[in-house]
Amino acid sequence: MCMNGGMFVFELFNWYSASWSILALAVLEFLVIAWFLGLDKYFANIREMKVNVGFTKYYFQITWKIVSPLLMIVLCVLTIWQMAPCSYKDYVFPNYIQILGLAISGLPMVPVVLMFAYYVCTLGFQQAFSTKNWKKA
């Protein structure tokens, strides 16, 4: 980014780096914890760590299962809907650079999706989210 076209490369990374993929990863995190793993297992793990959640458990159940995923999905859709072509001053990047930028923005999701698919395919859905083989420290 220190050469002649460095400002254009910087602007491309800046434009696409923290966009829809970060919101999509947040939605995936909420779905994995709240729906796939299950909040009952999650709170059982917290109780194993000697943390008393108390009545706030119900607040977290509502927000993690319903409110937060819906808000993140709405934000992700609005981000994609309001996405404009990358530009620097009055120069608009060509279409193939826009596609490269979209690929850059999708890169953070690739390892998460690949590892999720790997574990579910090799272990099965129930075993992938089981905690019975966890060892105590």
Side-chain angles (χ1 to χ4, degrees):
M1 294 188 195
C2 298
M3 300 299 199
N4 290 338
M7 190 60 201
F8 295 105
V9 175
F10 173 77
E11 191 61 32
L12 182 70
F13 275 90
N14 186 36
W15 196 277
Y16 285 109
S17 62
S19 64
W20 62 272
S21 61
I22 304 301
L23 295 170
L25 285 173
V27 170
L28 285 175
E29 187 175 343
F30 281 120
L31 291 177
V32 167
I33 295 292
W35 293 96
F36 295 143
L37 176 66
L39 287 176
D40 292 331
K41 285 184 183 178
Y42 185 75
F43 285 119
N45 292 337
I46 290 175
R47 279 192 301 275
E48 284 179 22
M49 294 182 268
K50 307 288 188 230
V51 176
N52 185 13
V53 180
F55 68 91
T56 59
K57 172 183 175 181
Y58 302 110
Y59 167 77
F60 287 118
Q61 285 179 337
I62 292 170
T63 56
W64 288 352
K65 273 195 162 188
I66 300 165
V67 177
S68 296
L70 286 177
L71 285 175
M72 290 294 165
I73 289 170
V74 167
L75 285 173
C76 193
V77 168
L78 288 176
T79 300
I80 292 171
W81 183 48
Q82 293 179 349
M83 194 174 285
C86 182
S87 62
Y88 176 66
K89 295 186 179 176
D90 46 338
Y91 175 74
V92 177
F93 290 88
N95 285 337
Y96 68 93
I97 299 295
Q98 303 291 341
I99 293 170
L100 177 67
L102 286 172
I104 289 170
S105 70
L107 279 178
M109 294 189 63
V110 172
V112 173
V113 172
L114 287 178
M115 292 308 293
F116 176 77
Y118 171 76
Y119 278 107
V120 169
C121 289
T122 57
L123 299 174
F125 192 80
Q126 291 295 330
Q127 185 66 25
F129 291 102
S130 174
T131 60
K132 72 177 184 172
N133 291 329
W134 286 10
K135 297 188 177 27
K136 291 187 177 187

